[in-house]
Amino acid sequence: MAPLSKAGAALAALREDLAGDVFAPDDPGYDEARAVFNAMIDRRPAVIARCEGASDVVTAVRFARELDLPVAVRGGGHSVAGMSLNDGGLVVDLRRMHGVSVRPAARAAYVGGGATMSHLDRACEPYALATTGGRASTTGVGGFVLGGGTGWLDRKFGLAVDNLLGVELVTADGELLHVTAEEHPDLFWGLHGGGGNFGIATSLTLRLHELPHMSVAFLLYLPERGPEVVRTFRDVIESGPPEAGGGALYLTGPPDEFVPPHLVGLLLAGVLLTYAGPEDEMRRLAEPLLAVPHEAEMVTAIPYADLQCMIDDPPGLRNHWSAEYLTGVPDAFVEVFCARAASMPVPTGTQHVVWPQGGAVASGPAGYPVPYRDAPWAVHPFGMWEDPADDDRVRQWVRDVRADVRPWSTGAVYLNFTGDEGADRVVAGLGAENMRRLGELKRRYDPDNVFRSNHNVKPL
């Protein structure tokens, strides 16, 4: 840490040089600027630099290097582990850098580093184009993509990172690089799953795909129907086309118009069948699920951008998530999965989800550091609640889900779904064989581990 006199002078210079805003702990707006999606995270950075563009990011990084400050990067602020913040360091806040430029003829979108899925999806909607995005409109595009990126369209269009064409990146020494398969190809490889370890993505170029139709079936069942529902959904997906996706889940009955009032607040089983195609095709595919006696249904065509908003997670709640990737979902797994729903915290926003991969996920590029690609299914215990008194029981429930499904686990994991679960889980999320190569990249581009507020790869 620099002497106070040097730090004061550097902060004054940063305020002068930055086109955006600078927040220190005594400034008005500081607490708003440090608030993130997960209410369990309460960290106090020394400085928050709300950047207007790439030149601001360069300035901010050089400021951090001058004072030997750790750097956290905030795009959507959606990291469950709170990696968008730190204590006593610099936060590079990209939220104002949310522009999206769509080039329909090139089937590409140029996306600002602070854009959310909503910014991306709404920009693409007029052209009937889309790319794989997260399962909520509030997720930040940058962290989502660089961490791998799984969503409703991945069975059809591949993981988000499979659609990454280029990154504008500010490195730890404040250099602005244009990274593609042709320029800095080693770094381009590392950005396909290696997250924020190598720099700050000020913009990304993503491949787009034609998506003229999207449709969905959201069905709710009494919880005792859960095993039948999960087995039926499994069979529909495994015999269906890659356009089909979604998930089977347990949840608290939501206060939505299509849900009978007497079920609101109670444990329910459910299925969300998504389909990258017209409603009539989706209805035929959904017939086995519709044949299972159910309490509520919403079966409709829907714009993809609206689907992305359908299960948005409200900010200000407490969150703890994890995941396990599976070799399959045989009947024995289904029984174990459904039995765990009995201890799920209800009524909360918590969800107990199993969803499919396969399709374009499995057939995508094999060389990237995304070792969960080959798993046909994944379990995602998604803890979300309001009362701090529930912290221990929700976190224990998430651990119990992981323990239950271990007999079917591949050992790999998607790191965007996890908090700080230790160094071994980082290896599981990137692949043991990839860690050496990633560590060498880290040594080349960030030897001092300036960018360590992430699922960290240490320099080798």
Side-chain angles (χ1 to χ4, degrees):
M1 183 67 68
L4 289 178
S5 58
K6 180 180 179 182
L11 180 59
L14 181 66
R15 293 186 191 275
E16 180 69 24
D17 295 342
L18 210 74
D21 296 324
V22 176
F23 299 93
D26 293 333
D27 291 338
Y30 171 81
D31 284 331
E32 180 278 328
R34 71 184 182 91
V36 291
F37 167 82
N38 187 355
M40 297 183 77
I41 307 302
D42 183 17
R43 295 177 184 152
R44 298 187 65 83
V47 181
I48 300 170
R50 186 168 289 170
C51 299
E52 293 282 354
S55 61
D56 270 2
V57 176
V58 170
T59 299
V61 169
R62 290 176 178 171
F63 163 82
R65 298 309 307 271
E66 180 183 356
L67 299 184
D68 194 25
L69 296 175
V71 176
V73 183
R74 177 176 185 146
H78 217 267
S79 162
V80 68
M83 293 173 177
S84 309
L85 290 180
N86 57 29
D87 283 314
L90 170 72
V91 171
V92 178
D93 186 339
L94 306 177
R95 279 180 286 178
R96 287 185 179 168
M97 299 167 56
H98 58 69
V100 177
S101 174
V102 177
R103 308 290 172 86
R107 295 288 191 269
Y110 301 86
V111 185
T116 65
M117 290 301 157
S118 184
H119 294 124
L120 173 60
D121 298 334
R122 294 298 180 191
C124 294
E125 190 173 31
Y127 307 100
L129 297 172
T131 194
T132 300
R135 293 173 173 87
S137 71
T138 52
T139 301
V141 175
F144 168 78
V145 172
L146 299 183
T150 168
W152 303 129
L153 298 176
D154 56 15
R155 284 171 42 81
K156 178 64 175 174
F157 299 140
L159 297 170
V161 80
D162 298 342
N163 294 289
L164 180 63
L165 301 175
V167 181
E168 185 181 74
L169 193 79
V170 176
T171 63
D173 60 5
E175 184 179 1
L176 184 63
L177 301 181
H178 185 58
V179 183
T180 66
E182 291 76 35
E183 300 178 73
H184 311 288
D186 57 342
L187 187 54
F188 188 62
W189 173 84
L191 293 173
H192 281 69
N197 271 286
F198 308 107
I200 301 175
T202 55
S203 70
L204 304 93
T205 305
L206 300 175
R207 181 185 297 111
L208 301 178
H209 306 267
E210 293 185 2
L211 187 67
H213 303 284
M214 193 76 201
S215 50
V216 63
F218 186 27
L219 310 176
L220 296 177
Y221 308 79
L222 294 177
E224 53 266 30
R225 294 281 181 186
E228 182 181 4
V229 171
V230 176
R231 290 192 300 266
T232 304
F233 178 69
R234 173 198 63 196
D235 296 345
V236 165
I237 291 293
E238 291 185 348
S239 63
E243 286 81 2
L249 71 159
Y250 287 85
L251 73 166
T252 296
D256 292 339
E257 288 185 7
F258 77 102
V259 180
H262 70 280
L263 296 178
V264 174
L266 302 181
L267 177 67
L268 298 174
V271 67
L272 180 68
L273 177 67
T274 61
Y275 189 76
E279 180 183 348
D280 59 340
E281 294 179 11
M282 184 271 295
R283 283 184 176 272
R284 286 194 293 273
L285 190 69
E287 284 175 0
L289 292 163
L290 289 163
V292 178
H294 51 282
E295 308 302 308
E297 68 175 67
M298 180 179 66
V299 185
T300 185
I302 187 172
Y304 173 65
D306 290 351
L307 168 62
Q308 288 286 73
C309 301
M310 199 169 87
I311 56 171
D312 274 356
D313 318 314
L317 297 179
R318 305 174 78 77
N319 284 258
H320 182 72
W321 320 333
S322 195
E324 290 291 337
Y325 280 71
L326 308 173
T327 57
V329 289
D331 289 351
F333 162 84
V334 173
E335 294 301 321
V336 169
F337 173 82
C338 294
R340 180 53 59 189
S343 62
M344 192 181 94
V346 174
T348 67
T350 298
Q351 297 177 9
H352 185 34
V353 189
V354 58
W355 61 46
Q357 293 206 119
V361 177
S363 63
Y368 294 143
V370 284
Y372 50 87
R373 181 187 296 281
D374 295 337
W377 290 86
V379 162
H380 182 30
F382 184 96
M384 186 169 63
W385 68 104
E386 186 172 4
D387 188 350
D390 288 332
D391 286 3
D392 288 343
R393 80 173 175 124
V394 179
R395 286 184 291 203
Q396 184 60 52
W397 176 79
V398 170
R399 289 192 291 269
D400 290 343
V401 173
R402 287 189 57 206
D404 285 348
V405 305
R406 198 156 288 137
W408 299 277
S409 174
T410 68
V413 66
Y414 172 47
L415 292 175
N416 281 354
F417 282 162
T418 70
D420 183 0
E421 297 181 1
D424 288 347
R425 285 283 270 178
V426 176
V427 174
L430 296 171
E433 294 183 7
N434 296 321
M435 286 299 288
R436 177 192 56 79
R437 185 174 173 187
L438 290 166
E440 291 173 350
L441 273 178
K442 184 75 170 180
R443 184 187 69 226
R444 197 174 314 151
Y445 290 99
D446 185 13
D448 298 320
N449 205 10
V450 172
F451 301 118
R452 57 184 180 270
S453 184
N454 47 41
H455 292 292
N456 195 231
V457 174
K458 290 182 170 56
L460 287 182

